[in-house]
């Protein structure tokens, strides 16, 4: 699983060049609109718009697929359970269970919307450096303390990931094999405890190092944002697209087409 | 356990965001500058530790550890979970941007419940009670999270009732694993470095120095 979402932030594309503040705000509106869609055809259109956005960000498909794969694994139970458990008149019986098209439609809609939103998230955060995205969030009135903590946590995730992998190698070198038993759970508990003890000592050193560099509870940044006409044009395009999607959905433009579908 | 984008209704998503904002505001009160780096760094540890997989039967589950977050960070567990959920949404795309609120209420609510259960140990006197109450906190946190998740599904619509039941059932093995692992971790910390544990003394995390 890739932890460095901003691995391809250096690639030049219309999304990378877009002012991060305007980009996050506009795509945020799009995400909200997509999450409110209730019909499959509009969902499909949203998914296609999201695909266009990711293509514009020129992120490699292998990179995106790694994340999308997990979303699909998580949503698989919905595709299986929803059609067979929908209340009301079933269309037919499958393996003795009532199969309802409405449940199936709902499950398909859920999968499509989830994919569209995940792709939007890649377009949002995959096209700027992580720290710049966070500072942009702060400009968008995200509480300062949350932004600062996010930057910290992100910084140390990689440190502790490496630490955990070292400990894991050491444990396996001594012959430890994970099994489905109580002992494994006991060892994993001790493992997590050790990780915490080591990091707790580290927090102290980190804090002292920061104090000595003049930390007073504020982060200073040299990032300067500048939004020009082009940025605004992109914002207007995305937001009007988002509103159009939601409008079509609310107006029920595809209700009839969808009812004829099953 | 978390819910994905595209499932819950608009009102449920909105309740998630509003509830998270309120509770985060309350649990972030009186945070001094020393606590900011410390709580964030501990959050990074939990974020990484939740990637650990534990075999269970023929399959495996990843650790959640929201109970242990409560046991270590006390009230600050809620903002810690919020950070974890935001990072998960941004870095993995699972979880998802539109459900940050609901997922934080769910996992953070569990973490606070875990802290509450952990604090009950003060009313009991026996040997190795940290293991018992750590296990209670670990299992209880996941149970509460599962209940909140089911509630979110059921309030979205009755078509999700069966799904909500399935979700609760799927939580049972996770509750058992978490109870054992968090119990072991709490016992380990009580032996090795008790000042990491929350609610044992009156000094907050920031004022506790490693021995």
């Amino acid at each position: 699983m890739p932890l460095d979402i901003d691995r391809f932030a250096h690639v030049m594309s219309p999304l990378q060049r877009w002012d991060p503040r305007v980009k996050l705000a506009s795509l945020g509106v799009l995400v909200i609109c997509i999450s409110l869609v209730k019909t499959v055809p509009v969902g499909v259109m949203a998914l296609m718009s999201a695909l266009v956005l990711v293509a514009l960000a020129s992120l490699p498909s292998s990179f995106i697929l790694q994340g999308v794969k997990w979303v699909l694994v998580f949503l698989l139970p919905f595709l299986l359970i929803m059609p067979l458990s929908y209340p009301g008149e079933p269309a037919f019986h499958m393996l003795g269970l009532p199969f309802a098209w409405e449940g199936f439609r709902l499950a398909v809609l859920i999968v499509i919307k989830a994919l569209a939103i995940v792709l939007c998230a890649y377009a949002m955060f995959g096209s700027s450096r992580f720290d710049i995205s966070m500072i942009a969030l702060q400009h968008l009135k995200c509480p300062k303390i949350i932004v600062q903590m996010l930057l910290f946590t992100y910084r140390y995730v990689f440190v502790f990931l490496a630490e955990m992998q070292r400990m894991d190698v050491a444990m396996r070198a001594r012959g430890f094999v994970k099994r489905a038993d109580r002992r494994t759970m006991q060892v994993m508990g001790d493992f997590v405890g050790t990780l915490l003890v080591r990091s707790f000592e580290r927090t102290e050193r980190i804090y002292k190092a920061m104090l000595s560099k003049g930390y007073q509870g504020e982060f200073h940044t040299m990032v300067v944002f500048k939004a020009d006409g082009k940025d605004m044009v992109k914002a207007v395009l995305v937001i009007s697209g988002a509103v159009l999607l939601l409008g079509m959905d609310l107006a029920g433009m595809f209700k009839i087409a969808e009812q004829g579908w099953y | 356990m978390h819910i994905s984008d595209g499932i819950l209704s608009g009102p449920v998503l909105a309740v998630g965001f509003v509830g998270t904002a309120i509770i985060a505001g309350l649990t972030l009160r009186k945070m001094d500058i020393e606590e900011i780096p410390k709580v964030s760094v501990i959050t990074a540890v939990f974020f990484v530790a939740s990637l650990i997989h534990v075999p269970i039967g023929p399959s495996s589950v990843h650790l959640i550890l929201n109970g242990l977050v409560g046991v270590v960070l006390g009230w600050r567990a809620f903002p810690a979970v919020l950070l974890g959920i935001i990072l998960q949404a941004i870095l993995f795309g699972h979880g998802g941007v539109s459900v940050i609120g609901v997922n934080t209420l769910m996992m953070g609510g569990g973490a606070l419940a875990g802290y509450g259960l952990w604090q009950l140990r003060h009313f009991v006197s026996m040997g190795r009670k940290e293991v018992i109450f750590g296990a209670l906190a670990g299992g209880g946190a996941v149970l509460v999270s599962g209940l909140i998740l089911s509630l979110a599904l059921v309030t979205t619509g009755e078509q999700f009732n069966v799904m909500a039941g399935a979700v609760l059932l799927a939580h049972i093995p996770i509750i058992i694993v978490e109870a054992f692992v968090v119990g072991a971790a709490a016992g380990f910390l009580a032996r090795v470095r008790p000042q990491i544990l929350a609610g044992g003394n009156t000094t907050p995390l920031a004022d506790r120095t490693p021995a």
Side-chain angles (χ1 to χ4, degrees), chain A residues 190, chain B residues 118 128 130-131 134 181-192 197:
Chain A
D190 291 351
Chain B
W118 170 245
R128 312 263 298 141
E130 282 84 4
V131 178
V181 172
V182 175
F188 177 87
L189 290 173
R191 278 198 314 276
V192 177
L197 297 166

Side-chain angles (χ1 to χ4, degrees), chain A residues 116-127:
Chain A
I117 295 178
V118 169
L119 291 176
C120 285
Y122 270 94
M124 281 166 101
F125 294 102
S127 59

